[in-house]
Amino acid sequence: MERITCMSLLLTAVVSSSARAPRQYHFVNQNLSWTEAQSYCREKYTDLFTISDIQEQNDIEQAIKRVNSNADRVWIGLKNTKVGFWSDPVFYTEQYRNWGSDQPGGDGDCVYMNCVNDHKGQWHDVDCNTTRHFICYNASKGFIIVQEQKNWTEAQKYCRESHTDLASVRNQSENEQIQKIIDQNKTSGDQDKRVWIGLHRLWVWSDNSTSTFTHWKPNNNNNNRETCTLIVISDEGQWTDEKCSEEHPFVCYDEKLVLVRENKTWTEALRRCRNMDMDLVSVDSEQMQQRVMNVTSSALSDHVWLGLRHSCTVGIWFWVNGQTVCYDQWASDYDIGLDECDQTVRSGAIRTHDNHWISLPETKEINFICIKYM
Ligand SMILES: *[C@@H]1O[C@H](CO)[C@@H](O)[C@H](O)[C@H]1NC(C)=O
Ligand SMILES: *[C@@H]1O[C@H](CO)[C@@H](O)[C@H](O)[C@H]1NC(C)=O
Ligand SMILES: *[C@@H]1O[C@H](CO)[C@@H](O)[C@H](O)[C@H]1NC(C)=O
Ligand SMILES: *[C@@H]1O[C@H](CO)[C@@H](O)[C@H](O)[C@H]1NC(C)=O
Ligand SMILES: *[C@@H]1O[C@H](CO)[C@@H](O)[C@H](O)[C@H]1NC(C)=O
Ligand SMILES: *[C@@H]1O[C@H](CO)[C@@H](O)[C@H](O)[C@H]1NC(C)=O
Ligand SMILES: *[C@@H]1O[C@H](CO)[C@@H](O)[C@H](O)[C@H]1NC(C)=O
């Protein structure tokens, strides 16, 4: 099975403008819990603010300082989950746990299994930067120990490239199976008996943005409870997390969809949007799909261009905002014509009668949707 993880691509060679256009943010100087702040933003604007790079981080800091010099701790749209998701999407929500006593202790977002003699394969959470040996899962061979020191993210990358994924442990017998594999090596030291498994805590943006930018205060310890993220202005804008029920001011952002009811080729449409300081829309969540459906209902063509482009060389679809396609609404027959993609560049459009996406030759002239990150 082909596994493409959600990622950001560097597409400067393919699309002319790289970073997303600046969005308009609204600082709301009212103390609300994170969840209330989220509702407020969704009602009045689009969502709580998502920070995708250092530029946006600096902009937002400056904006808060300008508007109100007293506000110090300000919610943004990042929230964590409990430690509790497996790296392998197939076993994402498997519930078996084998925590050691007082674990998870909030020392980090990644989990290792302790196979040192008396520890019975118990689990501990720790900083994902720590380097350890690790256990991959290989769909045809089972668990595989990799005796190389890697941090959790790199271990995950290694397992996904060479096997299936970092190991998910689904019951006591699988836990013992791993312990046995580790015990087989009589010469390995205690340190090498603490191995990464695929469990980790996930941080998610309120709008499901896949941004991986972070700006944590060093040694920010995330406790094992649901927490939400604050920018601390007096601490150089570094991020810290806190109980989501605490009340703080917050930042929302706003963006707007514009259906252009003119028939253009995909490239003309992209240029047209960008000339108006907008971009062709990237539909990377169910929420965005809903909003797009809402505007396509008044289109004058049967299909409407999205910011979706096919790369024949790499053989993948990507959004003009630089993301690969993770969320999708492809029609079952969307890929007709792709085998000849070296002759005609294909782009993606939404079909107005059922709102599924299909691939069309980019020279077709149809309506399109621009998005303004206000
Ligand atoms: C893991 O290691 C790589 C390479 O040394 C580094 O770039 C990355 O930031 C590390 N990631 C984490 C989460 O520690
Ligand atoms: C299992 O491991 C072998 C190498 O030992 C690798 O070639 C194969 O692709 C792996 N299978 C899966 C499903 O990851
Ligand atoms: C543990 O889980 C695996 C995979 O679901 C299953 O094949 C096995 O029978 C389970 N063992 C026990 C003892 O539940
Ligand atoms: C046992 O562990 C040591 C240290 O972790 C490693 O260097 C060695 O290759 C391992 N031996 C086997 C047979 O896997
Ligand atoms: C984010 O994704 C989750 C899980 O897929 C979904 O339930 C939720 O509605 C999404 N939120 C938004 C704002 O799109
Ligand atoms: C759809 O559009 C109408 C009119 O512009 C608006 O009132 C409504 O909130 C929109 N619904 C969604 C889900 O965006
Ligand atoms: C745009 O193309 C559609 C067919 O896809 C056609 O029905 C419509 O009249 C055209 N609109 C304009 C303004 O040319």
Side-chain angles (χ1 to χ4, degrees), residues 85-88 109-112 124 126-135 149-160 165-167 195-202:
F85 291 95
W86 293 100
S87 170
D88 189 335
D109 293 340
C110 294
V111 176
Y112 70 90
H124 297 251
V126 73
D127 188 336
C128 305
N129 259 320
T130 318
T131 58
R132 299 186 180 284
H133 290 182
F134 52 100
I135 302 283
Q149 298 284 347
K150 292 190 186 294
N151 66 30
W152 192 92
T153 319
E154 289 192 300
Q156 178 192 49
K157 182 158 171 272
Y158 178 96
C159 291
R160 287 181 170 177
D165 210 318
L166 264 173
V195 292
W196 289 130
I197 53 175
L199 194 66
H200 65 140
R201 177 191 275 119
L202 220 55

